[in-house]
Amino acid sequence: LGDAVLEIVTSEYLFRKYDKMLEGELTKFRASIVCEPTLANFSKEICLGEYLLLGKGEDNSGGRLRSSVLSDAVEALIGAIYLDGGIEEARIFVESTLLKDVEERKLFVDSKTHLQEMVQKVSDFSVDYVIVGEKGPDHSKLFEVMAMHDGQEIGHGYGRSKKSAEQEAAFDAIKRMG
């Protein structure tokens, strides 16, 4: 339910705000906002993982940091707001939180490319991604990655795949760099 409410609210918002954008571009833009990594990142921003009731095994294997758990929690929260207060309350919540910095949310989807472009403007060194930790069983790993530039850590991230952890580390680096 929450994912459907999020899709409709986000679609309407983008349609109103970016009325000159082509339909295909709007679809990609919406997808970048309602995707798992973006929702998981938002969940971390509001510390939603701290309030989840998890089984002992899920909690011990890093469930509070797992993107799929966190993104599902955001969708459940939006669904609960909708059931409790209706579409307008859900719209107010989504627009005032998740969509308030919509350009930054769009950026998250391809943070690695954006970070590399930022770094290349000021340095000859590239960005490297180093896996510094792995938790959990093979079917449900949680990777910890550092984004490195010229031997220095510039960002840190977690993800269920190496790629998603790298994106999160790149996004963290972009936020640190301003």
Side-chain angles (χ1 to χ4, degrees):
L1 179 63
D3 61 334
V5 173
L6 177 60
E7 289 256 351
I8 190 69
V9 168
T10 302
S11 295
E12 287 178 2
Y13 177 86
L14 294 177
F15 184 77
R16 285 191 321 268
K17 183 168 180 162
Y18 300 95
D19 59 340
K20 304 286 188 246
M21 195 177 281
L22 297 174
E23 179 184 353
E25 292 173 341
L26 282 171
T27 300
K28 288 179 189 174
F29 199 171
R30 183 194 63 213
S32 73
I33 295 166
V34 302
C35 69
E36 181 180 298
T38 303
L39 295 179
N41 189 54
F42 171 68
S43 178
K44 290 175 186 173
E45 289 173 15
I46 63 171
C47 303
L48 188 57
E50 294 175 20
Y51 300 97
L52 299 179
L53 296 175
L54 300 175
K56 187 176 180 180
E58 182 70 15
D59 202 8
N60 289 338
S61 68
R64 291 184 195 285
L65 297 173
R66 191 167 292 121
S67 292
S68 61
V69 171
L70 294 173
S71 65
D72 287 350
V74 171
E75 291 173 350
L77 176 60
I78 293 167
I81 293 168
Y82 170 77
L83 289 173
D84 187 59
I87 192 69
E88 276 312 306
E89 289 301 317
R91 182 185 322 283
I92 290 167
F93 173 77
V94 170
E95 288 183 3
S96 67
T97 58
L98 189 60
L99 299 177
K100 75 175 178 182
D101 53 0
V102 72
E103 293 293 330
E104 186 174 295
R105 306 256 180 241
K106 180 181 178 187
L107 167 66
F108 181 78
V109 174
D110 196 15
S111 296
K112 286 177 65 175
T113 300
H114 186 71
L115 177 60
Q116 190 63 43
E117 290 169 354
M118 288 174 67
V119 167
Q120 284 176 340
K121 289 179 182 176
V122 296
S123 172
D124 292 331
F125 293 100
S126 63
V127 177
D128 297 307
Y129 297 91
V130 179
I131 299 168
V132 294
E134 292 181 28
K135 283 185 179 178
D138 288 341
H139 69 280
S140 186
K141 284 256 189 242
L142 181 66
F143 295 93
E144 180 181 3
V145 170
M146 286 191 318
M148 305 288 291
H149 175 256
D150 193 18
Q152 300 293 315
E153 177 187 349
I154 59 172
H156 208 93
Y158 297 89
R160 279 182 25 133
S161 68
K162 292 174 187 174
K163 182 179 175 182
S164 66
E166 289 172 355
Q167 285 287 358
E168 197 167 298
F171 188 70
D172 181 51
I174 291 168
K175 288 195 308 189
R176 291 183 191 188
M177 294 169 74

